[in-house]
Amino acid sequence: LNKPAEKLYLSYSLANDEGSARRPSILMDRLNSLFPKIAQEDDLIPSFDQRLEIVSQPSNTFLSLAKEIRKLVDKLEIEPFWMSVYQWFYHQEEWHYSVQRMVDALFYQNNCKSISKEKSESLFGKPLRGSVARLEKFKNCPFSHFVQYGLKPAERKVYELQPVELGIFLHQAMEEFAEKIKIVVYLEVLLKGLFG
């Protein structure tokens, strides 16, 4: 495999891009059979030293704290270590607002309210007309139906120079430049005539 001077570290991912579990390479099984006392670690439960590395910078630590506090929302346990980190941030005046926003965001409930009859009529018209395709669209995604039939967005026009417009622009610029040259030449002739 390799000729390390002191240590050889091998790693493998535990999940693929979709989050499905991944088995270690057959090479790992062979190494375990050759070296039964080999030390194996995973970073799912960080050691104390690894946790200290995580809390080295406040901004990075805050991101890690948010991930850990999220476990509480999912009714999972978190290590007491992270509660100490939370307390530290909470008592720092410059972080108090960020902590409050994090907690608010984690426990936010997105409860939709119905729109009033008047707004509905102004958006969708009265009487409400529809088709089977429109009802299916509503069933599949009410928000998409709301945007398409209620808000009726139009694609924003992108303003850019077309070849014809570019030609007109360049022609105009050349005409103005030529006029300025005529003026300069006329002034030179005039000045030569006056001062000879």
Side-chain angles (χ1 to χ4, degrees):
L1 271 179
N2 206 336
K3 277 187 132 180
E6 293 180 29
K7 294 181 181 181
L8 173 66
Y9 292 93
L10 300 171
S11 64
Y12 58 90
S13 65
L14 297 175
N16 62 17
D17 292 340
E18 288 84 37
S20 303
R22 200 181 249 180
R23 288 191 42 78
S25 166
I26 195 167
L27 182 62
M28 298 303 287
D29 292 333
R30 280 196 72 199
L31 284 170
N32 284 331
S33 65
L34 289 171
F35 305 102
K37 294 182 180 178
I38 196 167
Q40 290 187 32
E41 294 179 6
D42 64 29
D43 60 358
L44 293 178
I45 302 171
S47 67
F48 184 73
D49 292 338
Q50 289 170 320
R51 287 184 297 201
L52 287 179
E53 287 177 23
I54 291 171
V55 297
S56 60
Q57 291 289 328
S59 55
N60 294 340
T61 304
F62 190 76
L63 293 174
S64 299
L65 174 65
K67 290 176 190 172
E68 290 298 317
I69 296 293
R70 172 76 184 139
K71 291 179 182 177
L72 291 175
V73 176
D74 298 332
K75 296 180 173 48
L76 300 171
E77 282 188 42
I78 65 170
E79 296 178 60
F81 169 81
W82 287 107
M83 291 312 293
S84 299
V85 172
Y86 172 82
Q87 290 294 326
W88 183 87
F89 275 108
Y90 186 79
H91 293 295
Q92 302 303 311
E93 193 166 324
E94 66 270 17
W95 285 96
H96 188 76
Y97 177 71
S98 298
V99 169
Q100 191 59 48
R101 286 190 60 207
M102 173 188 67
V103 172
D104 290 346
L106 287 172
F107 295 100
Y108 175 74
Q109 297 290 322
N110 187 13
N111 297 324
C112 298
K113 297 175 184 171
S114 298
I115 60 174
S116 68
K117 183 179 178 184
E118 293 79 23
K119 283 185 184 174
S120 176
E121 288 174 356
S122 71
L123 286 170
F124 297 105
K126 184 179 177 183
L128 183 63
R129 300 186 194 285
S131 65
V132 173
R134 186 168 167 177
L135 287 173
E136 285 177 348
K137 182 154 189 115
F138 179 80
K139 181 185 175 287
N140 290 334
C141 181
F143 181 73
S144 175
H145 176 273
F146 171 72
V147 170
Q148 183 176 351
Y149 296 103
L151 299 178
K152 299 176 188 143
E155 219 174 288
R156 190 184 323 178
K157 183 174 181 189
V158 178
Y159 293 97
E160 57 187 359
L161 287 175
Q162 300 297 326
V164 173
E165 295 162 334
L166 184 61
I168 293 169
F169 174 75
L170 291 174
H171 184 75
Q172 181 77 29
M174 288 173 69
E175 274 186 8
E176 287 181 21
F177 182 69
E179 284 299 318
K180 287 186 179 180
I181 288 178
K182 282 182 189 175
I183 292 171
V184 169
V185 169
Y186 176 75
L187 286 174
E188 280 184 4
V189 169
L190 185 66
L191 289 172
K192 275 188 182 177
L194 289 174
F195 299 107

